[in-house]
Amino acid sequence: MGFFDKIKKALIGETKEAEQETDKSLVDADSPEAQRSEESQPAQTPAEQGASEPVAPAETADSSDLEAEQETAEVSPQQEATTANKEEAPSIPKGVAKDIPSEEVPASEPILQPAPETESVQDKYTKGLTKSRKTFGQRMNELFANFRTVDEDFFEEVEETLIGADVGFDAAMKIADALRQEVKLRNVKKTADVQNVIIEKLVDLYGEAGVGEVNELNMQSGLTVILFVGVNGVGKTTSIGKLAHQFKAEGKKVLLAAADTFRAGAIDQLVVWGERAGVEVVRGNAGGDPAAVVFDAMERAKRENADVLLVDTAGRLQNKVNLMNELEKIKRIIQRVDPTAPHEVLLVLDATTGQNAMNQAKQFKETTDVSGLVLTKLDGTAKGGIVLAIRNELRLPVKLVGLGEGINDLEPFDPNEFVVGLFKGLIKE
């Protein structure tokens, strides 16, 4: 069973499968089960009976009985107030119910339920990938707008569409080739069927590229040292601050190291995030030796029994030789204190830059031993397909993704949730 088959239920929903199961159970009309199903009908509720068969008023009821029924049917003061509130108050938008005190929501109103305090991971992925999903859907619509026949021109248009969706050149070629074979094998002719095959091949290729991939952070029982690398402006320092906040919320002792001494602004920015997250920052002077800052941070982390040390570094790709030497020196300093560290080297990429992010990943992979990726601003871009390209071409696992601007919106990367969020609603029935 392919990766696509495993998540297909989440992509197209369970409704269609439920209908298919119902139809299947009624195929054999001569079976005892089918006969019993036809002979027996579910009992109607009183409300349904009233709707289908109006009940005539009882002629034998005396006036005292009618008065008793009217008194029983009178609206209580609490219900009357509730009705008045419902008439006067404006309609409540979806998701605002959590702001309403529970005592103001009557028990007889099951429709209005308090919203959860935080969004589920699935909701975050679905909402965070809205732009990418809409853009991909639009590209599919444009592809099939002039759809006439599945010929070589059509396959070339598929390749261009996928490349435009930032899934990568190699992935686009592989999918187009697989589509050629699948169309012939299945004799696919309908627009909806062709679109489904394209998405199926995208998902399966994504699943195959991720075999054996570890998306979880390599956390240690003692001190975990995580080194962050990336060019300026990709959200590196912000990601460190958000991750520090999450670790602190889990009860961990966290330290930050401001090893990007090349820019004074980078040190100040990390200090601000440290204050927001409630964690301390080990810092030096602007223009100082970043390795010295890291050494002080490692010594302090050991001395104070810290659980996590997050190290910010410079990202001057314009001089790769100096950058490589600097990162190698930082690693040697870390390993003097802990030979097993750093336990993660995370490259931070801005998802909104699309193929430029791919180029950065290739250069950093050549420069240092990157163990995983952090994709920021995924919610603000229509280029979510870049994850497919990174996974297929670079074989680097995505560890964390930014799905919003809030301090809690840096999420561990979940491949299944990502695929569902990217293609949800695009499968044609």
Side-chain angles (χ1 to χ4, degrees):
M1 179 181 291
F3 184 57
F4 178 79
D5 295 323
K6 293 179 181 179
I7 67 168
K8 189 174 182 180
K9 183 179 294 186
L11 285 168
I12 64 176
E14 300 180 359
T15 305
K16 187 174 181 180
E17 291 192 4
E19 292 174 354
Q20 291 174 344
E21 288 296 326
T22 303
D23 294 341
K24 183 178 179 181
S25 65
L26 297 177
V27 169
D28 189 0
D30 296 330
S31 66
E33 291 81 0
Q35 292 177 359
R36 283 196 296 271
S37 176
E38 291 176 358
E39 293 172 359
S40 61
Q41 297 292 333
Q44 288 182 308
T45 63
E48 289 173 336
Q49 292 175 351
S52 57
E53 296 180 4
V55 180
E59 296 179 359
T60 58
D62 57 23
S63 59
S64 60
D65 291 337
L66 292 175
E67 291 175 359
E69 291 178 1
Q70 290 173 356
E71 290 176 0
T72 305
E74 287 182 357
V75 179
S76 65
Q78 184 180 2
Q79 292 173 327
E80 188 173 7
T82 301
T83 305
N85 289 338
K86 288 170 64 179
E87 292 176 353
E88 295 173 3
S91 60
I92 302 174
K94 184 179 180 182
V96 182
K98 64 181 179 182
D99 298 326
I100 302 175
S102 57
E103 59 269 17
E104 294 184 13
V105 182
S108 59
E109 293 278 341
I111 298 176
L112 185 60
Q113 296 293 336
E117 291 298 326
T118 57
E119 290 181 298
S120 68
V121 174
Q122 185 179 37
D123 289 340
K124 284 187 176 182
Y125 271 91
T126 300
K127 186 169 71 174
L129 291 166
T130 298
K131 289 185 178 180
S132 294
R133 186 169 55 251
K134 285 183 177 178
T135 300
F136 189 81
Q138 289 170 358
R139 289 185 180 277
M140 287 292 103
N141 291 337
E142 292 172 2
L143 173 65
F144 293 110
N146 300 319
F147 178 82
R148 293 294 180 270
T149 181
V150 181
D151 52 17
E152 191 56 34
D153 291 338
F154 173 77
F155 291 124
E156 290 180 2
E157 290 183 17
V158 169
E159 293 173 0
E160 293 177 5
T161 298
L162 295 175
I163 292 173
D166 286 291
V167 302
F169 179 81
D170 291 346
M173 297 301 104
K174 288 180 181 178
I175 292 166
D177 289 341
L179 184 62
R180 286 183 178 92
Q181 299 176 7
E182 200 70 18
V183 166
K184 293 178 181 178
L185 183 64
R186 299 187 189 180
N187 194 26
V188 176
K189 295 180 179 179
K190 294 182 179 179
T191 301
D193 294 337
V194 175
Q195 178 165 323
N196 288 352
V197 172
I198 292 174
I199 296 177
E200 179 179 347
K201 294 305 172 185
L202 273 169
V203 173
D204 281 343
L205 179 62
Y206 180 74
E208 292 167 7
V211 173
E213 183 178 272
V214 179
N215 300 105
E216 296 80 13
L217 291 174
N218 181 24
M219 303 300 295
Q220 305 296 303
S221 56
L223 174 64
T224 300
V225 182
I226 303 178
L227 197 64
F228 284 79
V229 298
V231 301
N232 300 329
V234 295
K236 178 159 48 76
T237 307
T238 300
S239 298
I240 293 172
K242 289 182 178 181
L243 189 59
H245 169 77
Q246 293 178 19
F247 283 140
K248 180 70 181 296
E250 294 172 3
K252 291 181 171 62
K253 167 71 174 177
V254 185
L255 281 178
L256 305 182
D260 184 0
T261 59
F262 184 71
R263 294 184 305 120
I267 299 174
D268 296 337
Q269 186 182 6
L270 192 65
V271 170
V272 171
W273 269 106
E275 293 173 352
R276 291 178 184 174
V279 302
E280 296 188 32
V281 180
V282 180
R283 56 183 296 185
N285 296 323
D289 184 3
V293 175
V294 174
F295 179 77
D296 291 341
M298 286 292 297
E299 288 289 326
R300 182 171 175 179
K302 284 289 186 180
R303 186 172 61 251
E304 298 182 1
N305 294 319
D307 298 302
V308 183
L309 173 62
L310 307 179
V311 182
D312 189 13
T313 66
R316 304 187 301 278
L317 264 182
Q318 63 268 29
N319 193 333
K320 291 195 295 182
V321 176
N322 287 348
L323 176 62
M324 179 174 64
N325 292 337
E326 183 178 294
L327 292 175
E328 285 301 321
K329 184 178 179 180
I330 288 175
K331 282 186 180 181
R332 289 196 303 270
I333 292 297
I334 290 174
Q335 290 172 353
R336 285 185 189 177
V337 183
D338 184 351
T340 67
H343 305 102
E344 291 279 10
V345 179
L346 299 182
L347 171 60
V348 183
L349 299 173
D350 183 345
T352 63
T353 60
Q355 288 300 311
N356 189 36
M358 276 286 295
N359 296 332
Q360 290 176 23
K362 290 176 181 177
Q363 293 182 61
F364 268 99
K365 192 176 180 182
E366 295 172 359
T367 303
T368 188
D369 187 17
V370 177
S371 62
L373 303 176
V374 180
L375 275 180
T376 64
K377 310 173 191 177
L378 201 57
D379 61 305
T381 181
K383 301 179 178 181
I386 193 64
V387 178
L388 303 175
I390 288 172
R391 199 176 207 187
N392 181 58
E393 296 182 29
L394 298 182
R395 293 293 194 267
L396 283 174
V398 178
K399 301 277 186 172
L400 300 165
V401 288
L403 297 172
E405 297 180 357
I407 198 168
N408 294 315
D409 289 331
L410 184 69
E411 287 290 328
F413 181 69
D414 187 319
N416 289 2
E417 295 293 355
F418 171 80
V419 171
V420 171
L422 188 60
F423 297 118
K424 191 173 184 179
L426 296 180
I427 296 293
K428 302 293 184 180
E429 297 185 9

